[in-house]
Amino acid sequence: MTDTALSSATASRHPLLWPLLAALLIIGWSSGFVGIRYANQEASVMLLLFWRTLLSGLILLPFALALGPRMSMRAIRDQALFGVMAVFLYLGGFALAIEQKVPTGLVALIADLLPLAIAVLSQPVLGERLSSRQWVGTVIAVIGVLIVSFDSLNFGTAPVWAYGLTVGSMLVFAVASVLYRRRKTQHMQVHQSLCIQTLTGSVLFGLCALTQGSLAPPMTRDFAIGIAWLVLIATFLAYAVYYTSLRLFPVAKVSAAIYLSPPVTMLWAWMLFSEPLTAAMFAGLAVTLVGVWMTARN
């Protein structure tokens, strides 16, 4: 039986598996805001991303070596490439855009259009064709995201290339996602893949951080809380659930859940930082839920 058939059989036997994974994915994906909010006041973004990826990779390393199949050099090379794309270029591109004064709301909006790019790529690359209903659901979800993000949108005064960087980072992650879904020959566990990817990212982020100064972490409580949150939830939970879901379900279905990250991020901000909630946010959440349901349901 092929990997695809095994994945389909596993998913069909457990009808509650996708709702559970989708909920965990939304929580993990939206939680990155919290860790960055805590730690970014204490260190540069590149230094923050260096420690996030380094600690993630080092924690996973003994498990990657002891649990799972033996990792071949070819598999390590492939996962290192995914680390460059899905960790360094994706996270680093958005971080650099923010440092260049691209408004955070605009960066978040472009990042949250990732499922749309994946939906476009899934047919020519994977042969996973979306139905008319799923395309309608995708359009509705995008409208919901726009409603949620509208109040925070402005265009700022950043250089033109920085705006293009945000689009490029999103597209790079979309390409990495469909390629990860397509490669069925690499029999590597998710924790092994994530270990290699984060360690690859840490090397590149470390080089970038060195150009800005020392790699020493700030010894403050907020930085420690932020890094712990980013490692445990925004990296381990978000990436592990995302890659596991890609192995079990169509890539467009998995990515559609990310449309719900903006309204959930607003809830994080309200609960932890007392940021206000508006009627537009709830309206956008309702619209997005309808779109995601139409896109993801069987």
Side-chain angles (χ1 to χ4, degrees), residues 175-192:
V175 171
S177 296
V178 295
L179 291 179
Y180 187 92
R181 169 72 177 174
R182 189 176 68 175
R183 290 192 67 83
K184 300 296 183 182
T185 57
Q186 50 183 25
H187 299 289
M188 182 179 288
Q189 299 296 318
V190 170
H191 66 280
Q192 293 176 314

Side-chain angles (χ1 to χ4, degrees), residues 34-248:
V34 179
I36 292 175
R37 177 73 176 267
Y38 269 110
N40 189 224
Q41 301 299 318
E42 309 293 331
S44 69
V45 174
M46 288 300 168
L47 184 62
L48 175 60
L49 291 175
F50 166 69
W51 282 104
R52 169 184 174 175
T53 51
L54 178 64
L55 291 177
S56 299
L58 291 179
I59 291 171
L60 289 172
L61 184 58
F63 300 99
L65 295 174
L67 303 176
R70 184 176 177 274
M71 295 181 287
S72 67
M73 289 306 300
R74 179 181 177 183
I76 292 174
R77 180 201 64 194
D78 289 346
Q79 293 304 322
L81 177 60
F82 283 123
V84 173
M85 297 174 68
V87 177
F88 177 68
L89 294 179
Y90 177 64
L91 297 177
F94 285 116
L96 182 57
I98 291 173
E99 283 193 337
Q100 291 295 318
K101 308 304 181 184
V102 176
T104 305
L106 184 59
V107 171
L109 174 61
I110 294 173
D112 293 324
L113 293 180
L114 169 68
L116 180 60
I118 290 177
V120 172
L121 290 171
S122 61
Q123 180 176 346
V125 178
L126 300 173
E128 296 178 359
R129 186 172 185 175
L130 271 67
S131 66
S132 298
R133 185 199 71 245
Q134 289 177 309
W135 277 117
V136 172
T138 297
V139 172
I140 292 174
V142 170
I143 292 172
V145 171
L146 289 172
I147 293 173
V148 171
S149 307
F150 182 77
D151 287 341
S152 62
L153 283 183
N154 62 82
F155 289 96
T157 58
V160 174
W161 65 264
Y163 294 97
L165 186 62
T166 60
V167 178
S169 299
M170 181 267 291
L171 292 176
V172 164
F173 192 87
V175 171
S177 296
V178 295
L179 291 179
Y180 187 92
R181 169 72 177 174
R182 189 176 68 175
R183 290 192 67 83
K184 300 296 183 182
T185 57
Q186 50 183 25
H187 299 289
M188 182 179 288
Q189 299 296 318
V190 170
H191 66 280
Q192 293 176 314
S193 301
L194 191 55
C195 175
I196 297 170
Q197 292 181 25
T198 51
L199 287 178
T200 301
S202 71
V203 172
L204 298 173
F205 285 130
L207 293 174
C208 294
L210 273 175
T211 65
Q212 301 174 344
S214 171
L215 294 181
M219 305 304 291
T220 64
R221 186 195 66 172
D222 285 350
F223 184 81
I225 291 174
I227 287 293
W229 191 283
L230 288 171
V231 169
L232 297 176
I233 302 180
T235 300
F236 288 169
L237 179 62
Y239 275 84
V241 172
Y242 185 68
Y243 286 142
T244 300
S245 299
L246 285 181
R247 297 187 179 191
L248 296 174

